[in-house]
Amino acid sequence: MNTSTTAHHESSADLLRGLLGPCLRGAAFVALTTGVAYPLATTGVAQLLLPQTASGSLIRQDERVVGSRLIGQHFTATHYFHSRPSATTGANPDGSGSSVSQPYNAGASLGSNQGPTNAALIEAVRQRTQDYRASHGLPADAMLPADAVTASASGLDPHISVANARMQARRVAQARQLPLEKAQALIEQHIEGRLLGLLGEPRVNVLLLNLALDEQASKSTRPASGNAAGDHHVR
């Protein structure tokens, strides 16, 4: 190797060593800025300005977290208002690795991904319609709100339509031996309007409504068993 070649290689090595330091410092600066400083700053500002929202809009009862305003829960007891259907799934308990229906599984938000002509979806909606009418004492040709028999895209919708809530009022009132007017009044008190008066539709948060039912029952007679914080699994 001649002298000029050796000098060239040494010059290249010096150049690389000279670039290594700035590159490492730049990478460290970007990592600390975007991975540490920025998240801490945004979290701090959010906690300062919107502490409840920034913490997940959690709902507490007797110092215990029972859910979130943003994530629906699965209610099945007759003395509670029911959420809309959910298509979320979970791992099969038998360890086979397959999936089974697990409504309102917050760890696996999803819809059914079935199109309107899908036979399985058509059958599911037909069965839900039949079950809903039967459980509410409705005639076989009664029109139902769409959200009563269809799942949301996320499978975690915390709200139901006002029409759906009102249609369930009689069942809940009968199960709790409560005057129908009181159940209807609670629904009206929990109606949330359109966002900014324009976006979305009036709706009712099911968990908040059921907690209000329990609170009202605690002043008179509680339901036979369970409560809104125990009728379902909080995830």
Side-chain angles (χ1 to χ4, degrees):
M1 183 179 295
N2 57 39
T3 304
S4 61
T5 303
T6 302
H8 175 72
H9 285 171
E10 290 178 351
S11 177
S12 298
D14 290 340
L15 178 62
L16 290 175
R17 282 194 293 270
L19 291 174
L20 183 61
C23 287
L24 291 176
R25 289 193 292 272
F29 173 78
V30 171
L32 290 173
T33 300
T34 60
V36 179
Y38 179 73
L40 287 176
T42 54
T43 301
V45 171
Q47 288 289 347
L48 181 65
L49 300 179
L50 302 165
Q52 170 69 7
T53 304
S55 298
S57 299
L58 299 179
I59 301 172
R60 288 180 168 82
Q61 187 180 61
D62 299 327
E63 303 303 319
R64 182 167 64 97
V65 175
V66 296
S68 167
R69 293 172 176 267
L70 306 177
I71 299 176
Q73 299 190 21
H74 188 45
F75 292 92
T76 57
T78 56
H79 55 267
Y80 285 118
F81 287 90
H82 295 171
S83 304
R84 66 184 301 177
S86 169
T88 60
T89 60
N92 195 324
D94 65 9
S96 64
S98 60
S99 296
V100 294
S101 176
Q102 194 175 97
Y104 288 90
N105 178 5
S109 174
L110 51 79
S112 67
N113 291 324
Q114 296 170 334
T117 59
N118 184 281
L121 177 63
I122 294 172
E123 174 58 24
V125 171
R126 187 199 65 77
Q127 186 62 53
R128 291 169 187 162
T129 300
Q130 181 177 315
D131 293 344
Y132 191 99
R133 287 170 175 158
S135 63
H136 293 86
L138 300 173
D141 60 348
M143 297 294 291
L144 304 181
D147 66 299
V149 296
T150 58
S152 65
S154 68
L156 304 176
D157 194 341
H159 299 97
I160 56 176
S161 67
V162 176
N164 189 357
R166 288 172 176 164
M167 199 166 281
Q168 296 185 49
R170 186 175 300 278
R171 167 180 56 78
V172 173
Q174 289 176 345
R176 288 178 176 262
Q177 298 182 342
L178 186 73
L180 178 58
E181 294 75 16
K182 286 190 175 182
Q184 293 172 332
L186 276 178
I187 293 173
E188 300 307 310
Q189 293 167 18
H190 286 80
I191 294 176
E192 301 175 14
R194 293 180 174 88
L195 182 63
L196 302 177
L198 298 171
L199 305 177
E201 293 294 331
R203 58 205 180 278
V204 178
N205 188 297
V206 180
L207 177 57
L208 292 179
L209 178 58
N210 285 335
L211 288 172
L213 275 171
D214 279 349
E215 183 179 356
Q216 185 179 78
S218 68
K219 299 174 183 177
S220 53
T221 304
R222 286 190 175 276
S225 63
N227 54 49
D231 177 59
H232 54 282
H233 300 291
V234 177
R235 298 182 180 90

